[in-house]
Amino acid sequence: MAKYIKNIEKPVQKYRFVFQSVFALLCIYIGIEFYLFTTYLESGGTTEFYNRPAGVEGFLPISALMSIYYFFLTGEIHDAHPAGFFILLAIISISLVFGKSFCSWLCPVGFISELVGDFGEKIQKKLFKRKLKLPRFLDIPLRSLKYLLLAFFVYAIFFSMTALSLKYFLDSPYNIVADVKMYHFFANITQFSLIVIGVLFLLSIIIRNFWCRYLCPYGALLGITSLISPNKIKRDPISCIDCGLCAKACPSNIKVNKIINVISDECSTCLSCVDACPVADTLDVKSLITKKKISKPKIAIGIAIIYLIVISIGMFTGNWESKATKEDYLLYYQNLDRIGHPTSVQDIETLNKVSEKEKADGRKQNK
Ligand code: SF4
Ligand code: SF4
């Protein structure tokens, strides 16, 4: 093997782990706060009031996608779940600059999936002396599943809804209490849902990132936006010694050693391949515009800065807390089982009228 200049750049994986852990802890904190808020709702407003954490709206991506489209059509930020709007905007902005990096740097599901995948790979190496992966004839059609799910949501929102129907939906009690309904789904999880989660967990041990690779519509959306990101992993074929370590390290099974630019919807900018490359200045993230290398610490800091800037814009422009009051939540909570998914504009109108009437009745009683 020809002599080469050793890559002495520090790996970035432990910093990525710190990012993932901090974000996961933030999600747990939000979960605890939201749990306390629901105890207040359950008591009918008789116990101590706990603030509803706006960050919970990060778990309502469909509502956020509707808000983004509503903003696109009207120029208004809808006030039901404004934090969700900014969180999704921050995540899309990151992927436009640094590819699908949200999945491998911040997403708590991606984090769990990675930990489970690492565990699975250890077992596989012991049992089979290699990592398991699906053959191409299964892998490719399965990867399209997440795009089919995304296409369904895109069609239902961008091709079927007008500004008016979006407003009706976003104003509806169903949308406002979507966070409480989601909480109830997990707090009172059915046996069937538990089995589905258990099966996904097992599949993630056998096939790395099963959920992310095949089913997550969020990842599909970011995969598409990441394709237009100007910053890509680039291999220098002249200094490359074709050791294959980059491809071996890639959790997305991308054959990094066979291509020049990694332009793939499956690349999550985890930088495992860059860390694994033993040759200096051979595998780096480079700007396709300036042709310059972007160092690993700059990517980490860039991801954090973009996220914080977009979130701060939401917070400091007064578009963070939902305009739904605790009285609205108390009222809707009492009628939670009656609040179903509206399927037509008429449904949404009826739901909104009923809720307006109930609010007015409530105000009369309070007088
Ligand atoms: S190509 Fe590199 S950065 Fe992209 S997923 Fe594979 S290892 Fe991670
Ligand atoms: S890790 Fe990949 S890019 Fe680096 S030398 Fe080996 S084959 Fe080439």
Side-chain angles (χ1 to χ4, degrees), residues 314-335:
M315 286 180 171
F316 294 117
T317 56
N319 289 296
W320 187 250
E321 298 292 339
S322 169
K323 297 295 179 285
T325 61
K326 64 180 179 187
E327 286 76 20
D328 292 336
Y329 267 95
L330 280 168
L331 175 69
Y332 296 147
Y333 194 82
Q334 286 161 17
N335 300 296

Side-chain angles (χ1 to χ4, degrees), residues 233 250-252 254 256 262 267-273:
I233 297 197
C250 178
S252 302
I254 298 169
V256 187
V262 177
C267 175
S268 62
T269 323
C270 68
L271 305 181
S272 300
C273 54

Side-chain angles (χ1 to χ4, degrees), residues 10-23:
K10 284 199 177 121
V12 79
Q13 297 310 309
K14 71 174 178 226
Y15 298 105
R16 193 165 68 79
F17 182 78
V18 171
F19 270 57
Q20 289 172 307
S21 305
V22 169
F23 210 76

Side-chain angles (χ1 to χ4, degrees), residues 284-331:
D284 292 298
V285 176
K286 284 197 175 158
S287 162
L288 296 183
I289 302 167
T290 63
K291 313 275 181 233
K292 285 198 175 141
K293 168 180 167 174
I294 306 169
S295 72
K296 292 184 270 189
K298 273 190 190 155
I299 293 167
I301 294 166
I303 291 169
I305 286 181
I306 295 171
Y307 191 79
L308 292 175
I309 286 180
V310 180
I311 297 298
S312 304
I313 292 173
M315 286 180 171
F316 294 117
T317 56
N319 289 296
W320 187 250
E321 298 292 339
S322 169
K323 297 295 179 285
T325 61
K326 64 180 179 187
E327 286 76 20
D328 292 336
Y329 267 95
L330 280 168
L331 175 69

